[in-house]
Amino acid sequence: MLPTTSVNARSQGNGALSPRDAARHTAGAKRYKYLRRLFHFRQMDFEFALWQMLYLFTSPQRVYRNFHYRKQTKDQWARDDPAFLVLLSIWLCVSTVGFGFVLDMGFFETIKLLLWVVFIDCVGVGLLIATLMWFISNKYLVKQQNRDYDVEWGYAFDVHLNAFYPLLVILHFIQLFFINYVIISDSVIGYFVGNTLWLIAIGYYIYVTFLGYSALPFLKNTAVLLYPFALLILLYLISLACGWNFTKMLCSFYKYRVK
């Protein structure tokens, strides 16, 4: 059962939060609480995080519906439980090791690849995208009559993690079973299968990102976040016409990075 205690229940008689409660709801306090829980695994709800991972594939709207509940009960949109991040990190490590095995990398090369994928592909790119989306949404998408509301940076990062997880599973797990025998071959079917997986993965990322921002009631014109679909499909058709193999290019790039 979801908790039903409202933030207003802790407020003063005039409807404003007391100084003590207000301090607990600052961005710094929320960030400190989140990071502190990273070292307390018993306090993490891994079962619920697994539920979110499942529904990000089958019904991502339900995941963002839970963000609404969190806002109502805990007065924040962003996750306060790092269990999802921990499980995503484990997925990232396991899938990257599998990638290294498929590409016939040595132990130290696989470790280098793991560090690159974790700190550059996931964390580095994630921080960049989250910051960019946080700025764009607060600058251009917040409704004029709701200027008292803003998109939390932590929520923008959560949206990135939600969208990154299906992409990770498709490109770093499902694709592994086809790389050596189908995708990196020089045949038409090879780059068709590989590029189609890229189309699905990036399309999923765009769609889940759109759902994340459209779930916020104080944002407008969030449909513009779906516009990259047109560019994605165009790039996909051009790649098939020109014979570009995105997976083969990625494998070559990974091998170059771990030298």
Side-chain angles (χ1 to χ4, degrees):
M1 294 292 293
L2 289 167
T4 57
T5 302
S6 172
V7 175
N8 291 332
R10 299 190 300 270
S11 63
Q12 296 177 328
N14 60 2
L17 288 175
S18 67
R20 183 178 180 181
D21 288 330
R24 291 175 179 173
H25 289 82
T26 62
K30 294 175 182 177
R31 182 168 57 249
Y32 171 75
K33 180 181 179 182
Y34 183 88
L35 294 176
R36 185 181 61 181
R37 292 186 67 179
L38 277 172
F39 303 96
H40 297 83
F41 286 92
R42 293 183 179 179
Q43 298 180 9
M44 299 184 197
D45 191 348
F46 289 106
E47 182 178 353
F48 182 64
L50 286 171
W51 174 88
Q52 290 182 315
M53 287 182 165
L54 172 64
Y55 277 99
L56 281 173
F57 276 101
T58 59
S59 182
Q61 296 92 336
R62 296 187 62 177
V63 176
Y64 287 115
R65 198 174 304 147
N66 174 260
F67 281 77
H68 271 279
Y69 298 150
R70 185 181 300 109
K71 178 61 177 177
Q72 294 170 2
T73 58
K74 299 183 179 180
D75 195 32
Q76 69 178 68
W77 290 98
R79 288 187 178 96
D80 60 341
D81 185 352
F84 186 91
L85 178 61
V86 172
L87 291 181
L88 178 63
S89 301
I90 295 174
W91 255 107
L92 196 60
C93 292
V94 172
S95 63
T96 303
V97 170
F99 221 102
F101 176 78
V102 169
L103 296 182
D104 197 24
M105 294 182 178
F107 176 78
F108 291 106
E109 291 178 330
T110 302
I111 295 299
K112 289 181 182 179
L113 177 63
L114 178 61
L115 293 175
W116 174 272
V117 170
V118 171
F119 292 104
I120 303 298
D121 291 353
C122 182
V123 177
V125 174
L127 293 175
L128 180 62
I129 293 178
T131 302
L132 180 63
M133 292 302 299
W134 169 77
F135 173 79
I136 292 175
S137 58
N138 282 317
K139 183 72 173 178
Y140 301 106
L141 300 182
V142 174
K143 295 177 182 178
Q144 187 67 33
Q145 63 270 26
N146 286 325
R147 284 299 178 181
D148 291 336
Y149 296 92
D150 65 341
V151 178
E152 302 169 9
W153 185 91
Y155 180 79
F157 189 66
D158 278 339
V159 171
H160 164 73
L161 294 182
N162 290 343
F164 182 77
Y165 172 69
L167 182 146
L168 170 69
V169 173
I170 294 171
L171 295 183
H172 266 232
F173 180 70
I174 296 177
Q175 188 173 223
L176 294 181
F177 298 97
F178 303 96
I179 287 182
N180 285 336
Y181 302 102
V182 178
I183 296 178
I184 62 174
S185 65
D186 294 325
S187 64
V188 175
I189 191 66
Y191 61 78
F192 173 77
V193 172
N195 291 4
T196 300
L197 288 175
W198 277 85
L199 174 68
I200 296 172
I202 299 178
Y204 235 116
Y205 184 94
I206 295 172
Y207 178 63
V208 175
T209 298
F210 159 74
L211 290 179
Y213 289 95
S214 63
L216 299 179
F218 53 87
L219 295 185
K220 62 179 181 179
N221 300 328
T222 53
V224 299
L225 300 178
L226 293 175
Y227 288 177
F229 262 120
L231 179 61
L232 176 64
I233 294 175
L234 177 62
L235 183 61
Y236 171 73
L237 295 176
I238 293 175
S239 70
L240 295 182
C242 298
W244 298 340
N245 191 323
F246 293 143
T247 302
K248 197 170 185 179
M249 293 166 60
L250 177 68
C251 292
S252 298
F253 175 74
Y254 276 166
K255 288 182 178 180
Y256 170 77
R257 290 305 310 173
V258 300
K259 286 183 179 179

